[in-house]
Amino acid sequence: VALGELPDYPWDQMAPFAATARAHPDGIVDLSIGSPVDPTPALIRDALAAATDAHAYPQTSGTPALREAVVAWFERRRGVTGLTEANVLPTIGSKEFVAWLPFMLGLGSGDVVVHPRAAYPTYAIGAQIAGATSFASDDPASWPEGTKLVWLNSPGNPDGRVLDVPALAAAVARARQLGAVIAGDECYAELGWDGRWATEPVPSILDPEVTGGDLTGVLAAYSLSKQSNLAGYRAAFAAGDAALIARLTTVRKHAGMMPPAPVQAAMLVALGDDAHVAAQKELYRARRAVLKPALEASGLRIDESAAGLYLWATEGRDAWETIAALADRGILAGPGPFYGSFSPEHVRFSLTGSDERIAAAASRLTSAGLR
Ligand SMILES: Cc1ncc(COP(=O)(O)O)c(C=O)c1O
């Protein structure tokens, strides 16, 4: 493993733009990172507080109650039927799962990990940790022989792209042809906005219409970080193929990778309550409704972004020029190049600003534009 060769965290490159944005007389509006800004709901904090007597080791596989809650959540919120407790596994947030899955599956030199072209960087980092090769592609026909793991991400970060049932099914079919594991990273699934996703749930890779009722080789990752403002708790889970879940559970037992017992107790309560998820979604809906027209008025075109936590936008010039122009208006966004080499002219706006900060950004954009 060439851990010494991992790249520096790219956010360091943002420092000069952050300094410029912070110097704005009305303060910075930081929309560069998808870190929740609203409080953790009281019922979840209470569940954590009630579980602080945690003298015994927690279960790597999750408490039976938590596993049942994950199964019930998939059925209720995602339309995924047929799961049992053997199909689920809690994780310490989902980032560690993304980063370590190739290694935990035993991938190495010569193996290929496919991920989307515009992608969360951790898919490629995970390939690198395992010593495997990453390959960016959204076209299943182009996935090469030697592919051992495919990452899908719907709704996508950074672009908000949603894969419908036929697209998911085609990806699963191709992965099966290659003998690869396929994993859907679905952490933005509750945040559908436009077109059919305004009314229909975003489909899961575990949907029986996608898998044909056979979960072999298929995994989903989900996180409570965004839907429940729990990013600081590190609360997430994986689900799918029972044989893979059992293998991963064994590795994780040996490696000591289990969510703390109080966090498992908090997750259980979070998964049972749909009201706070709906309330949070309404906050993001309102912020999106303010920010999107303001970005458009300032000359940015919004691409994709039908679901998820971000607006994916371009002015048709180099992303860093847009980042600089935004910083001059006190606004920090994420440059497309942080999400791979296929998005040199895009920038990503996170909806994770307070109502007041999003309104400030909108008023600066509509009054002064970007050029
Ligand atoms: C696509 C995607 N996957 C996974 C994660 C990790 O989330 P967490 O580790 O908080 O569960 C993020 C966080 O931003 C993400 O955007």
Side-chain angles (χ1 to χ4, degrees), residues 34 92-96 98 120 123 153 157 185 187-188 223-226 231 234-236 310 348:
I92 312 162
S94 56
K95 184 170 183 168
E96 58 92 347
V98 171
Y120 180 56
Y123 307 124
N153 176 213
N157 172 13
D185 181 355
C187 60
Y188 302 106
S223 171
L224 302 189
S225 291
K226 321 286 175 157
R234 314 310 298 132
Y310 308 103
R348 189 194 78 166

mmCIF file of all heavy atoms in Angstrom, residues 34 92-96 98 120 123 153 157 185 187-188 223-226 231 234-236 310 348, ligand 1:
data_model
loop_
_atom_site.group_PDB
_atom_site.id
_atom_site.type_symbol
_atom_site.label_atom_id
_atom_site.label_comp_id
_atom_site.label_asym_id
_atom_site.label_seq_id
_atom_site.Cartn_x
_atom_site.Cartn_y
_atom_site.Cartn_z
ATOM 1 N N GLY A 34 -20.004 20.230 2.058
ATOM 2 C CA GLY A 34 -21.352 19.769 2.379
ATOM 3 C C GLY A 34 -21.501 19.355 3.827
ATOM 4 O O GLY A 34 -22.000 18.282 4.132
ATOM 5 N N ILE A 92 -18.935 3.537 10.339
ATOM 6 C CA ILE A 92 -18.547 4.695 11.153
ATOM 7 C C ILE A 92 -18.597 5.941 10.259
ATOM 8 O O ILE A 92 -17.574 6.490 9.850
ATOM 9 C CB ILE A 92 -17.149 4.460 11.760
ATOM 10 C CG1 ILE A 92 -17.086 3.059 12.398
ATOM 11 C CG2 ILE A 92 -16.816 5.540 12.793
ATOM 12 C CD1 ILE A 92 -15.662 2.553 12.631
ATOM 13 N N GLY A 93 -19.809 6.355 9.888
ATOM 14 C CA GLY A 93 -19.985 7.234 8.735
ATOM 15 C C GLY A 93 -19.776 6.377 7.497
ATOM 16 O O GLY A 93 -19.406 5.190 7.589
ATOM 17 N N SER A 94 -20.037 6.951 6.316
ATOM 18 C CA SER A 94 -19.845 6.120 5.125
ATOM 19 C C SER A 94 -18.501 6.365 4.449
ATOM 20 O O SER A 94 -18.070 5.564 3.629
ATOM 21 C CB SER A 94 -20.989 6.302 4.130
ATOM 22 O OG SER A 94 -21.141 7.644 3.777
ATOM 23 N N LYS A 95 -17.804 7.439 4.822
ATOM 24 C CA LYS A 95 -16.532 7.715 4.143
ATOM 25 C C LYS A 95 -15.519 6.593 4.368
ATOM 26 O O LYS A 95 -14.822 6.177 3.440
ATOM 27 C CB LYS A 95 -15.953 9.049 4.619
ATOM 28 C CG LYS A 95 -14.684 9.436 3.877
ATOM 29 C CD LYS A 95 -14.255 10.856 4.187
ATOM 30 C CE LYS A 95 -13.032 11.216 3.360
ATOM 31 N NZ LYS A 95 -12.747 12.661 3.413
ATOM 32 N N GLU A 96 -15.437 6.093 5.602
ATOM 33 C CA GLU A 96 -14.478 5.003 5.838
ATOM 34 C C GLU A 96 -14.854 3.775 5.003
ATOM 35 O O GLU A 96 -13.970 3.062 4.517
ATOM 36 C CB GLU A 96 -14.357 4.676 7.334
ATOM 37 C CG GLU A 96 -15.654 4.268 8.058
ATOM 38 C CD GLU A 96 -15.929 2.758 8.091
ATOM 39 O OE1 GLU A 96 -15.262 2.016 7.361
ATOM 40 O OE2 GLU A 96 -16.853 2.355 8.823
ATOM 41 N N VAL A 98 -16.337 3.759 2.074
ATOM 42 C CA VAL A 98 -15.937 4.037 0.691
ATOM 43 C C VAL A 98 -14.423 3.880 0.545
ATOM 44 O O VAL A 98 -13.925 3.260 -0.403
ATOM 45 C CB VAL A 98 -16.381 5.458 0.276
ATOM 46 C CG1 VAL A 98 -15.791 5.836 -1.077
ATOM 47 C CG2 VAL A 98 -17.910 5.551 0.240
ATOM 48 N N TYR A 120 -17.072 12.110 -6.062
ATOM 49 C CA TYR A 120 -16.529 12.204 -4.706
ATOM 50 C C TYR A 120 -15.126 11.578 -4.729
ATOM 51 O O TYR A 120 -14.967 10.432 -5.177
ATOM 52 C CB TYR A 120 -17.491 11.419 -3.811
ATOM 53 C CG TYR A 120 -17.201 11.339 -2.349
ATOM 54 C CD1 TYR A 120 -17.036 12.478 -1.572
ATOM 55 C CD2 TYR A 120 -17.136 10.089 -1.722
ATOM 56 C CE1 TYR A 120 -16.811 12.375 -0.208
ATOM 57 C CE2 TYR A 120 -16.920 9.975 -0.357
ATOM 58 C CZ TYR A 120 -16.750 11.126 0.398
ATOM 59 O OH TYR A 120 -16.532 11.019 1.745
ATOM 60 N N TYR A 123 -13.633 7.625 -3.785
ATOM 61 C CA TYR A 123 -13.649 6.362 -4.549
ATOM 62 C C TYR A 123 -12.250 6.053 -5.087
ATOM 63 O O TYR A 123 -11.787 4.918 -5.004
ATOM 64 C CB TYR A 123 -14.641 6.425 -5.719
ATOM 65 C CG TYR A 123 -16.035 6.843 -5.324
ATOM 66 C CD1 TYR A 123 -16.656 7.940 -5.922
ATOM 67 C CD2 TYR A 123 -16.728 6.153 -4.344
ATOM 68 C CE1 TYR A 123 -17.927 8.333 -5.553
ATOM 69 C CE2 TYR A 123 -18.004 6.539 -3.959
ATOM 70 C CZ TYR A 123 -18.594 7.633 -4.565
ATOM 71 O OH TYR A 123 -19.849 8.031 -4.189
ATOM 72 N N ASN A 153 -23.053 6.510 -7.743
ATOM 73 C CA ASN A 153 -23.401 7.505 -6.731
ATOM 74 C C ASN A 153 -24.627 8.262 -7.237
ATOM 75 O O ASN A 153 -24.521 9.113 -8.105
ATOM 76 C CB ASN A 153 -22.204 8.440 -6.512
ATOM 77 C CG ASN A 153 -22.493 9.569 -5.538
ATOM 78 O OD1 ASN A 153 -21.956 10.667 -5.679
ATOM 79 N ND2 ASN A 153 -23.331 9.331 -4.550
ATOM 80 N N ASN A 157 -22.824 13.282 -6.066
ATOM 81 C CA ASN A 157 -21.985 14.380 -5.616
ATOM 82 C C ASN A 157 -20.814 14.413 -6.574
ATOM 83 O O ASN A 157 -20.129 13.394 -6.704
ATOM 84 C CB ASN A 157 -21.493 14.101 -4.193
ATOM 85 C CG ASN A 157 -20.467 15.106 -3.719
ATOM 86 O OD1 ASN A 157 -20.281 16.153 -4.344
ATOM 87 N ND2 ASN A 157 -19.785 14.805 -2.624
ATOM 88 N N ASP A 185 -23.577 4.320 -3.761
ATOM 89 C CA ASP A 185 -23.436 5.269 -2.652
ATOM 90 C C ASP A 185 -24.646 6.203 -2.738
ATOM 91 O O ASP A 185 -24.784 6.971 -3.680
ATOM 92 C CB ASP A 185 -22.117 6.027 -2.826
ATOM 93 C CG ASP A 185 -21.854 7.026 -1.712
ATOM 94 O OD1 ASP A 185 -22.723 7.210 -0.839
ATOM 95 O OD2 ASP A 185 -20.764 7.636 -1.724
ATOM 96 N N CYS A 187 -26.139 8.404 -0.302
ATOM 97 C CA CYS A 187 -26.326 9.209 0.916
ATOM 98 C C CYS A 187 -27.231 10.432 0.711
ATOM 99 O O CYS A 187 -27.661 11.045 1.683
ATOM 100 C CB CYS A 187 -24.991 9.607 1.509
ATOM 101 S SG CYS A 187 -23.926 10.590 0.467
ATOM 102 N N TYR A 188 -27.530 10.784 -0.562
ATOM 103 C CA TYR A 188 -28.419 11.934 -0.804
ATOM 104 C C TYR A 188 -29.814 11.502 -1.252
ATOM 105 O O TYR A 188 -30.583 12.302 -1.796
ATOM 106 C CB TYR A 188 -27.781 12.866 -1.841
ATOM 107 C CG TYR A 188 -26.426 13.364 -1.398
ATOM 108 C CD1 TYR A 188 -25.253 12.880 -1.970
ATOM 109 C CD2 TYR A 188 -26.318 14.296 -0.373
ATOM 110 C CE1 TYR A 188 -24.007 13.316 -1.536
ATOM 111 C CE2 TYR A 188 -25.073 14.741 0.071
ATOM 112 C CZ TYR A 188 -23.931 14.246 -0.519
ATOM 113 O OH TYR A 188 -22.709 14.675 -0.077
ATOM 114 N N SER A 223 -25.965 7.021 4.546
ATOM 115 C CA SER A 223 -25.424 7.789 5.666
ATOM 116 C C SER A 223 -26.514 8.634 6.304
ATOM 117 O O SER A 223 -27.377 9.168 5.603
ATOM 118 C CB SER A 223 -24.321 8.708 5.147
ATOM 119 O OG SER A 223 -23.933 9.610 6.155
ATOM 120 N N LEU A 224 -26.454 8.767 7.604
ATOM 121 C CA LEU A 224 -27.390 9.669 8.292
ATOM 122 C C LEU A 224 -26.817 11.074 8.442
ATOM 123 O O LEU A 224 -27.479 11.962 8.970
ATOM 124 C CB LEU A 224 -27.761 9.098 9.665
ATOM 125 C CG LEU A 224 -28.397 7.710 9.651
ATOM 126 C CD1 LEU A 224 -28.916 7.334 11.037
ATOM 127 C CD2 LEU A 224 -29.537 7.635 8.652
ATOM 128 N N SER A 225 -25.581 11.287 7.976
ATOM 129 C CA SER A 225 -24.934 12.590 8.166
ATOM 130 C C SER A 225 -25.800 13.741 7.678
ATOM 131 O O SER A 225 -25.969 14.743 8.368
ATOM 132 C CB SER A 225 -23.605 12.638 7.401
ATOM 133 O OG SER A 225 -22.655 11.774 7.980
ATOM 134 N N LYS A 226 -26.328 13.611 6.460
ATOM 135 C CA LYS A 226 -27.023 14.734 5.830
ATOM 136 C C LYS A 226 -28.502 14.726 6.185
ATOM 137 O O LYS A 226 -29.068 15.755 6.530
ATOM 138 C CB LYS A 226 -26.853 14.675 4.310
ATOM 139 C CG LYS A 226 -25.490 14.232 3.832
ATOM 140 C CD LYS A 226 -24.399 15.274 3.991
ATOM 141 C CE LYS A 226 -23.055 14.663 3.597
ATOM 142 N NZ LYS A 226 -22.044 15.585 3.207
ATOM 143 N N ALA A 231 -23.503 14.425 10.992
ATOM 144 C CA ALA A 231 -22.155 14.199 10.445
ATOM 145 C C ALA A 231 -21.131 13.982 11.557
ATOM 146 O O ALA A 231 -20.195 13.197 11.413
ATOM 147 C CB ALA A 231 -21.754 15.350 9.531
ATOM 148 N N ARG A 234 -20.872 10.234 13.099
ATOM 149 C CA ARG A 234 -20.349 9.158 12.251
ATOM 150 C C ARG A 234 -21.328 7.981 12.258
ATOM 151 O O ARG A 234 -21.091 6.955 12.916
ATOM 152 C CB ARG A 234 -18.933 8.717 12.660
ATOM 153 C CG ARG A 234 -17.954 9.845 12.911
ATOM 154 C CD ARG A 234 -17.917 10.888 11.777
ATOM 155 N NE ARG A 234 -17.492 10.319 10.504
ATOM 156 C CZ ARG A 234 -18.145 10.532 9.360
ATOM 157 N NH1 ARG A 234 -19.216 11.302 9.302
ATOM 158 N NH2 ARG A 234 -17.694 9.998 8.261
ATOM 159 N N ALA A 235 -22.420 8.141 11.563
ATOM 160 C CA ALA A 235 -23.527 7.196 11.618
ATOM 161 C C ALA A 235 -23.970 6.843 10.206
ATOM 162 O O ALA A 235 -24.517 7.696 9.497
ATOM 163 C CB ALA A 235 -24.689 7.806 12.394
ATOM 164 N N ALA A 236 -23.730 5.596 9.807
ATOM 165 C CA ALA A 236 -24.066 5.184 8.450
ATOM 166 C C ALA A 236 -24.199 3.663 8.418
ATOM 167 O O ALA A 236 -23.988 3.000 9.435
ATOM 168 C CB ALA A 236 -22.981 5.653 7.472
ATOM 169 N N TYR A 310 -26.436 19.672 -3.642
ATOM 170 C CA TYR A 310 -25.569 20.623 -4.334
ATOM 171 C C TYR A 310 -26.228 21.186 -5.584
ATOM 172 O O TYR A 310 -27.110 20.574 -6.167
ATOM 173 C CB TYR A 310 -24.255 19.912 -4.735
ATOM 174 C CG TYR A 310 -23.621 19.207 -3.567
ATOM 175 C CD1 TYR A 310 -23.717 17.823 -3.426
ATOM 176 C CD2 TYR A 310 -22.977 19.931 -2.568
ATOM 177 C CE1 TYR A 310 -23.168 17.175 -2.327
ATOM 178 C CE2 TYR A 310 -22.425 19.286 -1.465
ATOM 179 C CZ TYR A 310 -22.518 17.915 -1.347
ATOM 180 O OH TYR A 310 -21.997 17.281 -0.260
ATOM 181 N N ARG A 348 -19.237 23.734 -7.627
ATOM 182 C CA ARG A 348 -20.286 23.105 -6.823
ATOM 183 C C ARG A 348 -20.673 24.007 -5.653
ATOM 184 O O ARG A 348 -19.811 24.464 -4.899
ATOM 185 C CB ARG A 348 -19.762 21.770 -6.280
ATOM 186 C CG ARG A 348 -20.821 20.923 -5.624
ATOM 187 C CD ARG A 348 -20.206 19.786 -4.804
ATOM 188 N NE ARG A 348 -19.711 20.273 -3.526
ATOM 189 C CZ ARG A 348 -19.369 19.495 -2.499
ATOM 190 N NH1 ARG A 348 -19.431 18.192 -2.626
ATOM 191 N NH2 ARG A 348 -18.949 20.019 -1.368
HETATM 192 C C1 LIG B 1 -20.987 10.884 -2.177
HETATM 193 C C2 LIG B 1 -20.602 10.837 -0.751
HETATM 194 N N1 LIG B 1 -20.380 9.658 -0.170
HETATM 195 C C3 LIG B 1 -20.035 9.562 1.122
HETATM 196 C C4 LIG B 1 -19.890 10.685 1.905
HETATM 197 C C5 LIG B 1 -19.457 10.506 3.326
HETATM 198 O O1 LIG B 1 -20.380 10.875 4.257
HETATM 199 P P1 LIG B 1 -20.275 10.378 5.753
HETATM 200 O O2 LIG B 1 -18.903 9.828 5.969
HETATM 201 O O3 LIG B 1 -20.540 11.567 6.593
HETATM 202 O O4 LIG B 1 -21.312 9.309 5.909
HETATM 203 C C6 LIG B 1 -20.121 11.937 1.355
HETATM 204 C C7 LIG B 1 -19.954 13.153 2.179
HETATM 205 O O5 LIG B 1 -19.994 14.247 1.747
HETATM 206 C C8 LIG B 1 -20.472 12.014 -0.009
HETATM 207 O O6 LIG B 1 -20.688 13.180 -0.607
#
